[in-house]
Amino acid sequence: MAMIEMRGVSKWFGDFRVLDGCTTRVEKGDVVVVCGPSGSGKSTLIKTVNGLEPFQEGEVRVDGVSVAARGTDLTRLRSRVGMVFQHFELFPHLTVLRNLTLAQERVLRRSRAEADAKALALLERVGLRDQAAKHPGQLSGGQQQRVAIARALSMDPVVMLFDEPTSALDPEMVSEVLDVMVGLAREGMTMMVVTHEMGFARQVASRVIFMDQGRIVEDVAKDAFFGAPQERSPRAQQFLSKVLAH
Amino acid sequence: MNYHWNWGVFLQEAPEGGVRYWELLVAGLGWTLAVSCLAWVIALAAGVLVGTLRTVPGRLLPGLAAAWVELFRNVPLLVQMFLWYFVLPELLPPLKRLLADADPTTAQFAAAVLCLGLFTSARIAEQVRAGIRSLPRGQREAAAAVGLTTAQAYRHVLLPMALRIVVPPLTSEAMNLIKNSSVALTIGLAELTFRARELGEYTFSYFEAFTAATLIYVAIAMSANRAMAWIERRVAVPGYIAGGGR
Ligand SMILES: Nc1ncnc2c1ncn2[C@@H]1O[C@H](COP(=O)(O)OP(=O)(O)O)[C@@H](O)[C@H]1O
Ligand SMILES: [Mg+2]
């Protein structure tokens, strides 16, 4: 069964159509990279998966549960879908440790001791155990993003969403974050990753989705995307030549 | 100016008998502090609640909260004081009967506290709303993404930061409240300005009376300022730069 299933998802902001009949499937263990020009609807698309962006038409299912259905417990669904943001969005007034335990305690009802243990193990994994007592503002961007990944993982998600996780980082910090993401991918985490890091896509993606003007223009296996550029749409070729030039 | 200062006037006995003028001023100071402190508690509680409700999803609650702010902010303070003290009892006969037997000071005090508390709550609500609005939109999304409910997101993520941001503007609201408390003299409450004016009228030592009152108001304002500065330091977030730099 597909971990994420989108069928004909459309969304309007007023008259403006941000998503236009988007359909795709993400199987368990798949890593799907979503790319496309700025404003093409990538963020909006992945935010429909955890219900952060409501939509007017179509259906999104996560592990079989419909996101938009009336009876769906959205907070429960969200706690099973980890999300990492471009600007980290750590909670600045809480220590790194508390950033990782807040939702474990409040949403999953884990005890403080249980949550702490889980948090410290995850911080260890992203190489930041010694920063547990600091506040986010005292860390570098790369460290903050690794904490944000650990925070998402602390909920034991079945799916991880990433929205341009490295585009707000100084260049020298990009790889420390990508390394963590590659590790996750290799362990079999189901991931949807909005990124222009084509190196990451080549390394671990199963498929690449290319979006333009709210539409999924390409949705193909990685090898087809990178290996047969002449078969891609003109827009995708144009985009690829730009991002690969860097 | 060849005015003959007569500072000895404070040691003279007041016509009421048995008390000296300085003691009346101190009693007035007591009422000023009592009214201001109680009104501040009401203003903070109501202001944080109303300011928060202005930012929640939906229409009804933000609409009601907006109406509260417009009502208490736009009617002149003096008019509100008269409404609470003179008009409200006329509209509520049981209240009027109750007050007929009570010490008039009780009614004056209660009216002043409610009036100043609610008037100030509207101003605090606006500050709190602005504080919440100033947080990055991603904070709300990040809180939702880990599965927190809207109420939990406010309690654990949005309000802790918003309230820290509004400490400086709340300091000036506290000062305004203390100064505004002198309006209570219009309904006969014997607070500091009331006593100063009384002293001037009985002894013609207006300059001495109002110099003393001014110095006392300045001292209260400075203490309030220091107290808020202390709070600001206590709750400062390590490494956090206001505005987050984006
Ligand atoms: N709240 C909003 N109201 C109106 N338009 C929006 C809103 N959020 C996003 N948009 C528009 O929707 C389009 C897609 O946005 P987004 O999904 O953020 O694109 P991407 O992530 O691909 O850059 C953009 O043109 C953007 O301006
Ligand atoms: Mg985006």
Side-chain angles (χ1 to χ4, degrees):
Chain A
M1 187 175 59
M3 199 52 116
I4 303 172
E5 193 172 6
M6 293 189 183
R7 246 181 295 151
V9 175
S10 291
K11 177 184 175 87
W12 288 261
F13 281 119
D15 290 338
F16 178 65
R17 192 165 189 161
V18 220
L19 294 180
D20 188 351
C22 294
T23 299
T24 191
R25 285 165 71 89
V26 180
E27 303 295 330
K28 192 166 185 311
D30 271 1
V31 176
V32 173
V33 163
V34 182
C35 60
S38 173
S40 58
K42 307 179 296 292
S43 299
T44 311
L45 183 80
I46 66 164
K47 284 176 187 170
T48 62
V49 174
N50 60 355
L52 286 183
E53 289 282 4
F55 46 89
Q56 286 90 359
E57 268 179 19
E59 189 176 37
V60 176
R61 286 178 175 275
V62 177
D63 207 7
V65 178
S66 165
V67 172
R70 280 195 173 277
T72 298
D73 180 353
L74 253 193
T75 57
R76 198 183 129 65
L77 183 142
R78 282 172 178 157
S79 70
R80 305 184 63 222
V81 179
M83 176 137 195
V84 175
F85 298 84
Q86 181 174 5
H87 294 289
F88 330 134
E89 304 302 349
L90 295 174
F91 307 135
H93 61 295
L94 299 178
T95 62
V96 165
L97 185 68
R98 290 289 151 252
N99 264 276
L100 270 66
T101 56
L102 175 65
Q104 291 191 66
E105 290 176 36
R106 300 285 158 184
V107 181
L108 301 181
R109 303 258 155 240
R110 289 183 182 151
S111 71
R112 174 62 66 97
E114 206 182 343
D116 280 357
K118 176 102 196 168
L120 289 170
L122 284 165
L123 287 173
E124 178 84 55
R125 165 177 185 165
V126 299
L128 293 170
R129 188 173 168 136
D130 52 340
Q131 311 289 328
K134 288 198 181 159
H135 282 75
Q138 298 170 301
L139 304 184
S140 73
Q143 291 174 321
Q144 290 189 56
Q145 195 61 301
R146 285 186 278 153
V147 171
I149 295 172
R151 176 177 70 182
L153 293 174
S154 72
M155 304 297 285
D156 294 323
V158 295
V159 174
M160 284 283 284
L161 307 173
F162 295 82
D163 190 3
E164 303 206 32
T166 58
S167 56
L169 295 177
D170 293 336
E172 73 270 19
M173 295 173 182
V174 168
S175 64
E176 65 188 69
V177 171
L178 288 181
D179 287 348
V180 173
M181 292 168 59
V182 168
L184 266 182
R186 298 229 157 108
E187 277 172 30
M189 175 63 78
T190 309
M191 296 162 64
M192 261 184 113
V193 184
V194 177
T195 185
H196 292 164
E197 293 291 337
M198 289 301 129
F200 172 81
R202 280 177 194 276
Q203 215 179 332
V204 293
S206 349
R207 275 198 348 267
V208 179
I209 287 177
F210 175 77
M211 289 190 74
D212 190 31
Q213 296 179 1
R215 273 195 216 111
I216 294 182
V217 179
E218 302 274 356
D219 185 353
V220 293
K222 169 185 61 178
D223 295 336
F225 193 77
F226 293 112
Q230 64 285 355
E231 287 166 28
R232 307 279 67 84
S233 65
R235 284 294 283 144
Q237 285 188 34
Q238 204 184 351
F239 176 80
L240 264 177
S241 67
K242 253 189 236 152
V243 294
L244 293 178
H246 288 296
Chain B
M1 192 173 95
N2 46 16
Y3 178 79
H4 287 283
W5 293 92
N6 174 21
W7 296 107
V9 69
F10 296 111
L11 300 176
Q12 287 171 22
E13 213 166 276
E16 287 160 43
V19 283
R20 296 172 194 282
Y21 280 117
W22 73 267
E23 291 173 296
L24 289 181
L25 275 187
V26 169
L29 168 64
W31 282 114
T32 292
L33 289 178
V35 167
S36 300
C37 290
L38 267 181
W40 183 245
V41 171
I42 292 176
L44 259 190
V48 170
L49 179 68
V50 172
T52 301
L53 291 180
R54 288 205 71 176
T55 67
V56 300
R59 286 189 174 219
L60 179 67
L61 292 174
L64 288 174
W68 175 284
V69 169
E70 292 310 318
L71 177 67
F72 288 108
R73 194 176 55 165
N74 292 338
V75 178
L77 180 59
L78 189 58
V79 174
Q80 292 192 39
M81 197 63 88
F82 287 172
L83 288 174
W84 283 106
Y85 188 65
F86 295 114
V87 179
L88 187 70
E90 298 300 327
L91 300 177
L92 296 172
L95 178 67
K96 189 173 183 184
R97 259 176 270 126
L98 193 75
L99 291 176
D101 305 327
D103 178 354
T105 310
T106 312
Q108 290 158 0
F109 181 68
V113 165
L114 275 175
C115 171
L116 287 159
L118 298 185
F119 175 79
T120 309
S121 79
R123 305 178 57 95
I124 292 180
E126 283 300 90
Q127 303 290 359
V128 169
R129 174 173 81 128
I132 295 171
R133 284 273 146 80
S134 75
L135 300 175
R137 175 182 153 188
Q139 287 284 297
R140 201 183 273 270
E141 291 188 339
V146 289
L148 296 177
T149 62
T150 302
Q152 286 174 325
Y154 273 97
R155 161 75 183 78
H156 298 289
V157 176
L158 302 175
L159 282 175
M161 279 316 292
L163 292 180
R164 283 173 166 88
I165 290 169
V166 300
V167 171
L170 288 198
T171 306
S172 48
E173 292 307 335
M175 313 267 217
N176 282 338
L177 170 59
I178 292 161
K179 287 180 277 182
N180 285 338
S181 69
S182 64
V183 171
L185 77 83
T186 58
I187 57 170
L189 186 71
E191 48 68 70
L192 184 55
T193 306
F194 180 100
R195 288 302 187 188
R197 196 176 66 164
E198 180 186 59
L199 196 162
E201 276 167 4
Y202 286 160
T203 65
F204 297 105
S205 299
Y206 281 103
F207 283 138
E208 290 82 350
F210 280 103
T211 304
T214 303
L215 290 176
I216 295 172
Y217 276 117
V218 169
I220 302 174
M222 282 168 60
S223 314
N225 207 342
R226 295 288 285 276
M228 295 297 270
W230 180 81
I231 291 173
E232 199 176 342
R233 277 197 309 278
R234 275 296 304 270
V235 301
V237 172
Y240 181 78
I241 308 136
R246 31 178 148 113

